Amino acid sequence: MGRVAIVTGGSRGIGAAISKALKEAGHTVAATYAGNDEKAAAFTDETGIKTYKWDVASFDACKDGIAKVEEELGGPVEILVNNAGITRDAPFHKMSSEHWNSVIGTNLTGLFNMTRNVWEGMRERGFGRIVNISSVNGQKGQFAQANYSAAKAGDIGFTKALAQEGARKGITVNAICPGYINTEMMSTIPEKVMNETILPQIPVGRLGEPEEIARCVLFLTSDEAAFITGSTVSANGGQYLH
Ligand code: NDP
């Protein structure tokens, strides 16, 4: 059954793969982004998926953006994938409040801003699928990522709390924790660091592909996944087992 889906940060990287997979599954998808107009336009040209620009860190921008999506795509948002995320890495003794606030704003408060603005409608209609893209670094912590690890761990707590609230209303809320995924972010890592530091940490012996995360999202957003809520799916090639 085709539903209206929003994927935040859905214009590139992991989000782009998620947007495409949801479209292929028959859903009408809106992919949001923050500022990279060129990438967003290229993505729409390639896929036919509409893109919308707003900052998930702003509650009002999310409210207005969601209303616009619902008007233009012709229905209420029934699937929400909170994928938009940023890094501002620094060892803690050099971490500024700007580093902290920007990462918490996008990666944690962004989930509140988006989800709060679809939640009441999902409750009223008795159906909703919410997937939050957290990270292995929210599970295990990571040097120079106190901000990112805190936000991503927060995403998991948010998921578990909301799953309990949505359960009787047909709304499932789940988290996915990707490990190292082959996106643009990874292509900037020097080959030596990749081969000697990163790959040896991953028992599967390679990076994950964005499509492998998209497949997890497809499963969790399907009607048939109604009994799975509050879960955290680790997709990390065996890098971190808990
Ligand atoms: P990318 O940097 O490739 O893409 C990020 C997307 O999010 C872009 O579309 C970007 O828009 C959008 N975005 C960023 N900030 C905002 C904002 N404030 N408001 C709205 N949109 C925003 O990210 P990845 O694909 O690598 O990561 C996707 C998610 O997966 C993130 O949450 C990340 O933390 C998580 N993750 C990634 C891993 C990896 O190895 N890549 C590993 C574990 C987790 P624009 O194009 O305009 O900048």
Side-chain angles (χ1 to χ4, degrees):
M1 179 182 172
R3 301 183 184 276
V4 171
I6 293 185
V7 182
T8 66
S11 62
R12 60 190 177 91
I14 295 171
I18 296 170
S19 298
K20 285 192 228 173
L22 288 171
K23 185 186 177 200
E24 277 162 28
H27 302 300
T28 307
V29 180
T32 82
Y33 68 104
N36 194 331
D37 297 319
E38 208 177 307
K39 278 272 161 140
F43 177 75
T44 300
D45 285 348
E46 180 205 329
T47 61
I49 294 170
K50 281 186 114 172
T51 49
Y52 295 82
K53 178 161 71 171
W54 76 76
D55 180 1
V56 296
S58 159
F59 184 83
D60 289 341
C62 290
K63 188 174 181 207
D64 295 346
I66 289 166
K68 189 171 177 206
V69 167
E70 292 187 333
E71 195 188 312
E72 291 190 5
L73 299 191
V77 174
E78 294 186 298
I79 297 172
L80 170 63
V81 184
N82 287 308
N83 164 79
I86 57 169
T87 52
R88 295 287 183 272
D89 296 357
F92 196 61
H93 61 282
K94 293 189 177 161
M95 189 171 281
S96 66
S97 57
E98 194 281 325
H99 285 128
W100 177 267
N101 289 331
S102 57
V103 169
I104 298 294
T106 297
N107 299 10
L108 181 57
T109 309
L111 271 62
F112 170 78
N113 294 339
M114 287 298 300
T115 309
R116 182 67 185 81
N117 280 303
V118 298
W119 189 253
E120 287 179 51
M122 288 180 174
R123 277 171 53 90
E124 280 159 22
R125 291 184 301 275
F127 181 88
R129 292 284 181 270
I130 294 170
V131 178
N132 300 318
I133 308 299
S134 175
S135 168
V136 66
N137 292 347
Q139 296 172 299
K140 70 173 188 56
Q142 176 65 28
F143 187 92
Q145 286 196 330
N147 51 359
Y148 186 85
S149 299
K152 293 296 185 178
D155 293 346
I156 297 171
F158 176 79
T159 299
K160 291 179 177 178
L162 266 197
Q164 296 177 41
E165 294 196 28
R168 291 294 173 98
K169 297 287 181 186
I171 309 170
T172 67
V173 189
N174 292 287
I176 298 172
C177 289
Y180 287 104
I181 306 298
N182 191 13
T183 61
E184 261 172 65
M185 201 168 87
M186 290 293 140
S187 63
T188 62
I189 293 173
E191 204 179 326
K192 192 173 152 62
V193 176
M194 181 59 74
N195 290 334
E196 292 177 17
T197 311
I198 294 181
L199 290 179
Q201 295 175 42
I202 308 171
V204 166
R206 63 168 177 85
L207 301 179
E209 293 300 325
E211 292 71 23
E212 294 180 289
I213 304 305
R215 275 196 284 279
C216 299
V217 173
L218 265 194
F219 172 63
L220 291 171
T221 54
S222 65
D223 285 18
E224 294 75 14
F227 202 56
I228 302 171
T229 194
S231 74
T232 303
V233 176
S234 296
N236 62 31
Q239 184 199 346
Y240 180 71
L241 310 171
H242 56 99

